[in-house]
Amino acid sequence: MNDLLTRPHISVVIPTCNRPRLLKGCLQSVLAQTLPPSEVVISEDGSNEETSATVEWFRNKLGRDKVIYVRNNPPRLQLENRRQAFKMASGEFVAMLDDDDEWEPEFLEQTYQALVRHPECAFCSTDHWIMDSESCILPLESEKAAHAFGRLSMTSGVYTDVLDRVLDLQPFSLHTTLFRRTVLESVGFIPPYGGTVPDFGLFLAIGAKRANAYYVARRLGRYRIHQGQQTAKRLENAKSKVDCIKGFVHEYGHCLSKRQYLKVRRMYRLSVVELAVAYGHMGDRASAFKTLARCFELGPGILPISRLFVLALLAMGVTKDSIRSLVARD
């Protein structure tokens, strides 16, 4: 009885959309946790009978009273589905796991223990593996991702510079983070301007609140990459990132130091150029150059010459494969 009274109230929220095969692997990783959650919220965008059967299987495994299942029909789309799932969680600690990702068995235990030891921290985040569509771990890709996002240089410990780290390298991953519910409430769970990059908007907002983080330098999650995923989502994600930065400045610009605001302006210029390049890859030259005119909406600065060169080549009709060959030779 004492164990039940002292057991932490941890909620796991899982947004899902018509991927029951992947969802089952995700749910199996929740069942394997050495510190089981006290509540799991599954928010389905749409209505799929195979998904419903998978959730029923999970309910029988974890305990029917521990699983909250909501089906959005018509769908609320990615951002609102995530916000809904977060808001429905009642735990003092909350973690979100996408239906195509998984956790290592010690994820909840390790992150929860870190937050207990460090009450000054609003969330605890970890590194993660990259896996392919067949759930095979990709060590080289995992190492590259950790390097690209600055996690290789991070050691386990408290970080008081969350916003600067998000502006520089975005090292924190939504699917391998345990939050205190209070910090999620303080930023509206997920900012409404997050679009298809809700994790980016969330960590920017938390950073602007001057929240501290604890980082565990272990790969305690598995993030799935799908064939064609990056190509299919490139334009949508680029649009969302531009809108997210503008929304963040509107909401939290007054919280930023001069140095941080300059970082935000630089990030905005780079994001606008990437959006223009995404239009260029689609052959939409008019939209590419119309987008490029937005670069200085937040103030003056220097544009990335290398990306402008790529955009110019695309505008001249040079193929993507030819551009890749040029870049590779450089």
Side-chain angles (χ1 to χ4, degrees), residues 32 45 60 68 83 99 117-118 130 150 178 223 240 250 264 317 325 330:
D45 220 27
N60 291 330
I68 299 170
R83 297 187 80 204
D99 61 358
R117 292 194 305 269
H118 298 279
I130 301 291
L178 181 65
Y223 174 79
S240 287
H250 177 76
V264 171
S325 297
D330 277 352

Side-chain angles (χ1 to χ4, degrees), residues 4-75:
L4 290 175
L5 291 174
T6 58
R7 187 174 298 169
H9 195 175
I10 298 175
S11 296
V12 171
V13 299
I14 302 173
T16 185
C17 181
N18 298 325
R19 297 192 288 196
R21 181 182 69 84
L22 297 178
L23 175 63
K24 188 162 188 178
C26 166
L27 296 176
Q28 285 173 328
S29 80
V30 174
L31 289 172
Q33 292 299 296
T34 55
L35 177 62
S38 36
E39 172 186 81
V40 176
V41 177
I42 301 173
S43 183
E44 181 186 5
D45 220 27
S47 182
N48 180 290
E49 292 310 311
E50 193 176 348
T51 298
S52 181
T54 300
V55 173
E56 188 67 14
W57 164 85
F58 179 66
R59 270 180 163 157
N60 291 330
K61 292 285 186 180
L62 185 67
R64 300 187 65 82
D65 60 327
K66 294 183 178 181
V67 181
I68 299 170
Y69 178 36
V70 59
R71 306 172 81 177
N72 301 318
N73 201 3

Side-chain angles (χ1 to χ4, degrees), residues 12 27-37 97 102-111 220:
V12 171
L27 296 176
Q28 285 173 328
S29 80
V30 174
L31 289 172
Q33 292 299 296
T34 55
L35 177 62
L97 183 63
E102 299 170 10
W103 285 330
E104 299 295 339
E106 294 183 352
F107 169 74
L108 286 178
E109 182 176 1
Q110 291 285 311
T111 52
L220 294 179

Side-chain angles (χ1 to χ4, degrees), residues 258-274:
K258 182 177 180 180
R259 177 177 53 82
Q260 288 170 337
Y261 191 75
L262 289 174
K263 284 185 177 183
V264 171
R265 276 178 21 187
R266 178 178 181 275
M267 178 183 286
Y268 184 74
R269 292 194 301 273
L270 293 176
S271 299
V272 169
V273 171
E274 286 306 315

